[in-house]
Amino acid sequence: EKSDPVYTFCEVMDSIDLRKYLAAPESRTGRKRYNSEILLKVILFAFMEKGYASVREIEKLCKTDIRFMWLLQDESAPSHMTIDNFMNETLLGNLNSVHGALLRMNRSIQAEGAFGAIKWNKAYQRIHRRGLKSVILEIAMISCGFNLHKYHLKSLIRQLAA
């Protein structure tokens, strides 16, 4: 059914050109690299659905939840280490870039209400990661997931009104 959050999520994510944010150097050795856009979609959808999702939980969802399998587009489920490396190297590097800092600065207005809603609606109790960079990453992922969930709810209301 088209009211499932995964459809709204893909509608939003497909409208964004993610390649400019996820540029990674090509490696000629080892296994073929996972598609960065697909990994980002899987991680953000997990945060959208769960509020907070550990890398092991995301790995399990990729193996058991049909919506995550659909997001993977016939790729095998990534391991928790693949997800963790992607989050810590690619995503954190992009958050700390000059471009990422400018985007965060533009969105920093009125944050208290959003964090109150995250704590109450998603039962978010505490920060799970350690270290300043990891905490920044966790808060960014939770915030993105919250905003995507909010967008999905608004699109459902628009569909019901039509």
Side-chain angles (χ1 to χ4, degrees):
E1 184 176 316
K2 291 288 184 185
S3 65
D4 194 284
V6 75
Y7 294 114
T8 307
F9 174 78
C10 281
E11 175 188 323
V12 171
M13 295 302 288
D14 291 342
S15 69
I16 302 169
D17 182 15
L18 297 172
R19 290 173 294 179
K20 61 184 173 183
Y21 303 110
L22 299 173
E26 283 297 318
S27 176
R28 293 180 186 228
T29 60
R31 184 188 175 283
K32 183 181 163 205
R33 183 182 289 264
Y34 270 95
N35 183 325
S36 296
E37 292 180 34
I38 291 174
L39 272 176
L40 179 62
K41 284 181 179 182
V42 165
I43 293 166
L44 284 177
F45 188 67
F47 276 88
M48 177 182 155
E49 285 292 291
K50 303 290 182 184
Y52 171 80
S54 70
V55 291
R56 290 185 189 269
E57 186 177 3
I58 296 171
E59 176 187 27
K60 182 179 178 185
L61 288 168
C62 288
K63 293 177 180 177
T64 59
D65 191 320
I66 191 73
R67 298 174 304 169
F68 285 85
M69 292 176 199
W70 185 73
L71 285 172
L72 285 169
Q73 301 174 356
D74 295 328
E75 285 201 33
S76 61
S79 71
H80 66 277
M81 285 306 300
T82 301
I83 296 166
D84 190 59
N85 288 337
F86 177 76
M87 289 174 74
N88 287 323
E89 293 168 10
T90 306
L91 293 182
L92 196 54
N94 286 321
L95 279 175
N96 291 331
S97 70
V98 173
H99 182 68
L102 289 173
L103 289 174
R104 281 195 317 276
M105 186 173 62
N106 289 336
R107 294 187 193 112
S108 64
I109 303 167
Q110 300 275 336
E112 187 61 36
F115 282 112
I118 289 169
K119 286 173 69 177
W120 181 257
N121 296 336
K122 295 293 187 177
Y124 185 73
Q125 299 294 320
R126 66 181 183 87
I127 293 174
H128 294 82
R129 297 177 146 246
R130 294 186 181 144
L132 181 61
K133 290 180 180 179
S134 294
V135 168
I136 290 170
L137 176 65
E138 181 175 328
I139 291 171
M141 292 294 103
I142 289 170
S143 300
C144 288
F146 174 75
N147 287 333
L148 288 164
H149 183 72
K150 212 162 93 171
Y151 178 82
H152 167 68
L153 293 177
K154 285 183 180 183
S155 70
L156 280 179
I157 291 170
R158 279 195 309 264
Q159 286 175 3
L160 293 174

